[in-house]
Amino acid sequence: MSASPGTSSDHQTDAADLARFGYKQELKRGLGLFSSWAVAFSYISPSTGIFTLFALGLTTLGGVFIWTWPVVALGQFIIALNFAEVTSHYPVAGSVFQWTKYMAGRTYSWFNGWVYLFAGILTVTAVVATLPLALIPALNGLGWHSLGQGSGNTLLHTQLVVALITLVVITVLNIYGVRLVALINNTGVVFEILGMVVFALILMAFHNHQGFNVVTNSAGIPVNGSTFLAAMFMSLFVIYGFDTASTLSEETRDPRRTAPKAVLYSIIGAFIIGGVFLLGTLVAIPNMHTAISNAWSPVNIIEANFSTGFATLYLLVVSAAIFVCCLSIMASTIRLCFGMSRDNTLPISKLLSRVSPRLHTPIWTCVVIALIAAVPFLQFSGATTIAIGATAMIYFSYFMGNIAILRARTRGWPRTKAPFRLGGWGMVVNIVGLIYGGAMLVNFAWPRIASNPKPEQTVVAGTQLVDFHIDFLNKIPILWTVFVFVVLIGVIYYLAVGRRKEFAPVIAPAGDDAPLVSAAPPSQAAQPEG
């Protein structure tokens, strides 16, 4: 008789499976399917992304921007199908970095992991900067009116303080372990789902000012390829991070089966719940032209339709959902950093790969991730600007990962069967995913004020929010500068130090597509260097 889920026998089986990759079980393995799905769903967090960039979509395309939601969800689901199959073969911490490590060369996988790591860190920054957008109005409703006073730099300063406090709190919670994070996360997800769906249904039933034909109302804004691509940015910012379920594979029970399901279910759940919320929010806009001209966010729509008490309650629920999103994104980024450090690929790898024997978490990795995530706050420009670099680099790392997977498929991968497999559809899914991902990268990089402005174009109330203090950099789109900076630092480090370090050898389980990797016995695994 097979052991029931969660027994010591199951844990031993999972630990033995991990050992086949040359790794010792150090992280605490306690996540089931719901917790794994909930962490991935929280990373996506429809409420967080919609609150961050709803105004961008609305001012770019009016109510028609809702159609970007199913387009992006479909494209991301195709990429997730590809990732789910790879997750079932390689259930180790690090997702895209680990996959490219097994399917491409050392330099390629290192570079992909480096970009992905900084994309995750910037996402942490962007999301903790989003929390004040909902929390400050909620606290105002509770009587803390001094928090919402002022505008421009004064308001940004208040948002900065709230964001920094949030960063400290989520760092401490992550230090105290994934089970605590999962407990808070699971509770938060339930509140987010109920809050978004119930709220949206109330708006549609009792505050439907626009009618459901709002989805065809652009309020006079031209609907064409250019405006649609710009309006996609909100949806693109929301629907990523589904691979978090893969990144936490070493803390998941039976990850070869559980993680792929969680990856796919997280997108399906986010698409349905986020779509209902978007529709309910759009129909509740009292005056479309006023909302567009004043760049309304969901906060404005909530306050325009409900009493102060109800609006405050709902904003508190949204704030809780965004906080949980912060927790999940940081947990995912910490595991990626840990996975790369354990392979001795990063600076101070020995310190970053050290796991507390009492808490079963990489404490120093938590601290370092938090410190780097705080760097953009030295010149705080709000969540929207930070999200530009984070989203584009995530999609770039996904694109690189898909290239490596396609390369492996052309060489016969997968030769062995895993619990989740695409079979003959694998190559088709992979190619379609690359076409979609490549098109979105061009979309991100395109210079436009809405989604990739130059620093000199980030002017609010007469103040330039982003200023690199170098004239020519202020004339270059922000994404270009951020991407080149991250890549340049990585290239310098890799050429000067990284390529000479003894990375841990790539170890594939016996019979698992060994021609794609450089197999070596576990005893030869390199120890992380300081």
Side-chain angles (χ1 to χ4, degrees), residues 430-468:
N430 205 151
I431 292 173
V432 173
L434 275 173
I435 294 172
Y436 164 78
M440 291 306 99
L441 284 177
V442 173
N443 188 21
F444 282 123
W446 203 265
R448 60 169 77 95
I449 294 178
S451 60
N452 188 18
K454 302 172 185 177
E456 63 184 14
Q457 296 172 327
T458 61
V459 178
V460 175
T463 301
Q464 184 173 316
L465 299 181
V466 180
D467 186 355
F468 291 127

Side-chain angles (χ1 to χ4, degrees), residues 67-80 232 235-236 239 242 267-268 270-272 395 436:
W67 293 105
T68 67
W69 188 254
V71 172
V72 172
L74 178 60
Q76 294 297 79
F77 188 77
I78 291 170
I79 290 176
M232 287 179 76
S235 301
L236 291 167
I239 309 178
F242 42 84
I267 293 184
I268 294 171
F271 167 67
I272 295 172
Y395 279 71
Y436 164 78

Side-chain angles (χ1 to χ4, degrees), residues 119-181:
I121 292 171
L122 279 176
T123 303
V124 172
T125 310
V127 176
V128 298
T130 298
L131 181 59
L133 303 182
L135 184 59
I136 290 176
L139 294 178
N140 288 338
L142 293 175
W144 294 18
H145 299 295
S146 59
L147 288 176
Q149 289 179 351
S151 59
N153 289 336
T154 302
L155 182 58
L156 279 176
H157 177 73
T158 305
Q159 292 175 355
L160 171 61
V161 172
V162 174
L164 286 172
I165 293 172
T166 304
L167 183 59
V168 171
V169 173
I170 64 173
T171 302
V172 172
L173 289 174
N174 270 286
I175 286 174
Y176 275 88
V178 72
R179 293 197 68 175
L180 176 60
V181 171

Side-chain angles (χ1 to χ4, degrees), residues 75-89:
Q76 294 297 79
F77 188 77
I78 291 170
I79 290 176
L81 282 171
N82 205 33
F83 285 1
E85 182 171 33
V86 184
T87 297
S88 199
H89 282 272

Side-chain angles (χ1 to χ4, degrees), residues 117 132 186 390 480:
L117 176 61
N186 293 353
W480 300 4

Side-chain angles (χ1 to χ4, degrees), residues 382-433:
T384 302
T385 305
I386 301 169
I388 293 171
T391 312
M393 287 201 296
I394 285 281
Y395 279 71
F396 183 76
S397 59
Y398 282 2
F399 185 76
M400 288 189 65
N402 274 312
I403 288 176
I405 298 168
L406 181 63
R407 173 181 177 272
R409 290 189 189 280
T410 61
R411 299 187 176 192
W413 184 89
R415 295 184 178 88
T416 57
K417 289 186 177 181
F420 182 89
R421 54 188 179 272
L422 295 174
W425 287 99
M427 185 70 76
V428 175
V429 168
N430 205 151
I431 292 173
V432 173

Side-chain angles (χ1 to χ4, degrees), residues 171 175 330 334 352 362-373:
T171 302
I175 286 174
M330 191 168 201
I334 288 168
L352 294 175
I363 294 177
W364 284 107
T365 301
C366 299
V367 173
V368 170
I369 292 297
L371 290 175
I372 300 175

